Amino acid sequence: MTRPQLEPPRPPQRQRFGTIAAGLTLMLGGLFAATPTTAAPVTSPDDIAALAPGTVLDARPVTIAAGSLIPVKITAWQLRYRTNDATGNPVVAITTAMLPYQAGPDPSRPLLAYDSFEDSIPASCAPSYQLQQNLNWSGVPVQIELVMIAAGLRQGWAVTVPDHLGPTGEYLAGRMSGQATLDAIRATESFGAMGLNGPRTKVGVLGYSGGAHAAEWTSTLSSGYAPELNIVGVAAGGVPPDIQAVYNKINRTVWAGIAVTGIEGLRQAYPELDQYVDQHTTAAGKSAFDKTKNQCLQNNVIQNPYANIDTYFTVPDPLHQPIPQKYLALNTMPSDIRTDAPTYLFHTVGDEVLPIAPVDDLVAGRCAAGDQIVYRRDSASNEHVLAAIAGLPGAAVWLKDRFDGVPLAPGCDIRTVPTTLTDPRNAAFLGDTLFKSLLDIAGYPVGPDDAIG
């Protein structure tokens, strides 16, 4: 593909450090990406439609590894379970269910459903594959998320990490991700070796960026799809409520490859959209989309810097045509519904990937509908990756309070703050997590401690 002859926009000075750091992370992933070996097959039994969503089909123990290389002392299983895709068809998905190292049954143990920001199509990029010891560096974002997963285990929580994009990688298809997460919770709670308390288990949901998309759709769908679950809190940062707004933000920027992945993910979910894209792509567009089917997020970003994705199509303004508009609208988060679980949201004001205005609108709408929301607008990070580092500790601390039954004021609490790390508990959580991550790599068991009191 020939790179468009455009003058790259210069990021503001305050964003340059984070953008450079993000770029180095992505390039490092591409530089050391091994050719993916075959991921676990996701085949459907003949009677899958007769099984209840969340039914565990089979399970196997797995080894969790830092950077796909160093075994970490976590007790873990891979569960195959029944769920539904974006159009309601029964499919098989995988979740990685984890306990603190050698933990015994504990019906009082809460469960964290951690939605990853894999943002990729192939099964070899999914958490069930990338969290294992398999000497594969193609899914750097997922492997970095082990830091937060282990932090949850150190609180004594159980953790389940679903492949929420389903067996074909339906990235940005909200119903796929939300249903897959809810059914992963069902599967994990019913899996005897986890020793949980079934649907009475206290559940928290956490995700950032693409994972926040899944977490918010989990919250949106929970009351109608899985009303029996005891979800006590949903925490999400870097939320993309409006996919069209994200496309407008990242097209012709260093992050344009995310748009290629997003279009391909929605194609996987909706045959009508797949046919539309197939009929209206240029040779360069076809090449870009075909590559996206076989590689992880960072390579899609590396290969499409500053691209004008509109030029990958033979029709002008391709996403504003009736068929793509239909599916973009279907996957825009509704802002006029009330969700059952209280919500914690954080977003940086200057996010160069996900604009904040749609998040403000989502919060305003859901607050008007009666939701219970804590919303923190970070004015200092001003960069997507830095905002994750600064904001996830506060989200985890907030979820700990929900698990511990700490009362939450009714209504909505909306504030613009320099950073949520000004809260001493959040800063302490970050420091403790970074230090303990080194101990994890050194071979210390991952288990409960008094990290955040």
Side-chain angles (χ1 to χ4, degrees):
M1 182 188 69
T2 303
R3 175 174 167 173
Q5 299 301 307
L6 300 172
E7 177 65 23
R10 295 178 179 269
Q13 182 68 37
R14 62 185 179 181
Q15 293 184 9
R16 286 180 185 168
F17 173 78
T19 301
I20 291 170
L24 287 173
T25 299
L26 292 167
M27 285 189 291
L28 208 57
L31 195 61
F32 292 101
T35 301
T37 56
T38 304
V42 188
T43 53
S44 299
D46 293 337
D47 63 345
I48 186 172
L51 301 175
T55 298
V56 177
L57 304 176
D58 55 54
R60 66 184 182 113
V62 291
T63 298
I64 304 300
S68 186
L69 176 64
I70 303 171
V72 178
K73 289 186 175 179
I74 292 170
T75 301
W77 298 266
Q78 193 177 87
L79 311 181
R80 293 171 67 249
Y81 64 97
R82 190 263 206 219
T83 189
N84 292 301
D85 68 11
T87 55
N89 298 310
V91 294
V92 175
I94 299 173
T95 193
T96 305
M98 290 172 269
L99 288 172
Y101 186 62
Q102 295 185 341
D106 183 356
S108 67
R109 191 187 307 280
L111 172 65
L112 173 66
Y114 187 92
D115 279 321
S116 168
F117 56 90
E118 59 171 297
D119 298 6
S120 305
I121 310 304
S124 58
C125 306
S128 63
Y129 186 72
Q130 289 295 329
L131 292 174
Q132 292 187 67
Q133 184 185 18
N134 54 29
L135 299 181
N136 182 287
W137 292 277
S138 62
V140 170
V142 178
Q143 293 168 7
I144 292 173
E145 289 179 295
L146 181 56
V147 172
M148 285 303 301
I149 293 166
L153 294 168
R154 278 194 293 272
Q155 302 310 313
W157 308 338
V159 179
T160 195
V161 185
D163 294 359
H164 60 81
L165 303 184
T168 62
E170 296 181 19
Y171 175 45
L172 295 183
R175 287 191 174 274
M176 175 76 255
S177 288
Q179 291 168 167
T181 302
L182 291 164
D183 286 329
I185 294 168
R186 286 168 161 162
T188 304
E189 290 179 347
S190 69
F191 182 55
M194 293 296 289
L196 301 176
N197 197 22
R200 292 178 293 278
T201 303
K202 288 184 177 181
V203 178
V205 184
L206 175 62
Y208 186 78
S209 194
H213 183 264
E216 270 296 284
W217 274 101
T218 299
S219 179
T220 298
L221 299 174
S222 61
S223 61
Y225 187 82
E228 81 281 9
L229 297 180
N230 182 21
I231 300 177
V232 299
V234 175
V239 185
D242 184 337
I243 299 172
Q244 180 72 62
V246 176
Y247 181 85
N248 296 341
K249 180 81 171 180
I250 65 176
N251 193 32
R252 304 190 188 198
T253 76
V254 70
W255 301 106
I258 298 175
V260 178
T261 313
I263 294 169
E264 184 59 42
L266 291 174
R267 287 180 70 184
Q268 297 296 319
Y270 305 109
E272 184 181 32
L273 181 63
D274 178 48
Q275 185 178 29
Y276 168 85
V277 175
D278 190 57
Q279 290 176 346
H280 298 292
T281 46
T282 63
K286 179 175 174 52
S287 175
F289 289 123
D290 284 349
K291 289 178 181 178
T292 301
K293 296 176 185 177
N294 299 300
Q295 61 191 19
C296 299
L297 172 66
Q298 69 267 16
N299 285 328
N300 297 329
V301 173
I302 292 167
Q303 292 171 10
N304 296 276
Y306 303 103
N308 179 359
I309 307 305
D310 286 357
T311 66
Y312 289 179
F313 292 83
T314 60
V315 292
D317 210 2
L319 295 192
H320 281 88
Q321 304 302 318
I323 289 175
Q325 282 293 296
K326 172 182 174 181
Y327 293 105
L328 288 172
L330 190 63
N331 289 285
T332 298
M333 291 177 190
S335 60
D336 58 350
I337 67 168
R338 180 172 181 173
T339 58
D340 291 339
T343 302
Y344 178 95
L345 298 176
F346 66 94
H347 204 102
T348 187
V349 174
D351 195 314
E352 82 285 16
V353 179
L354 305 176
I356 195 170
V359 187
D360 293 342
D361 293 342
L362 179 72
V363 171
R366 292 198 171 177
C367 287
D371 262 14
Q372 194 173 19
I373 299 177
V374 174
Y375 177 33
R376 296 293 177 260
R377 304 172 81 253
D378 176 326
S379 64
S381 297
N382 280 330
E383 199 278 328
H384 191 65
V385 175
L386 291 181
I389 297 169
L392 281 168
V397 169
W398 183 87
L399 282 174
K400 182 180 188 301
D401 285 346
R402 305 291 73 75
F403 287 149
D404 292 346
V406 176
L408 184 64
C412 289
D413 176 2
I414 303 171
R415 304 182 203 174
T416 299
V417 297
T419 171
T420 55
L421 291 177
T422 55
D423 185 318
R425 292 183 72 204
N426 301 348
F429 184 95
L430 176 60
D432 184 82
T433 296
L434 295 176
F435 174 69
K436 297 284 176 55
S437 295
L438 298 177
L439 298 183
D440 297 344
I441 295 172
Y444 283 74
V446 179
D449 58 41
D450 298 324
I452 57 177

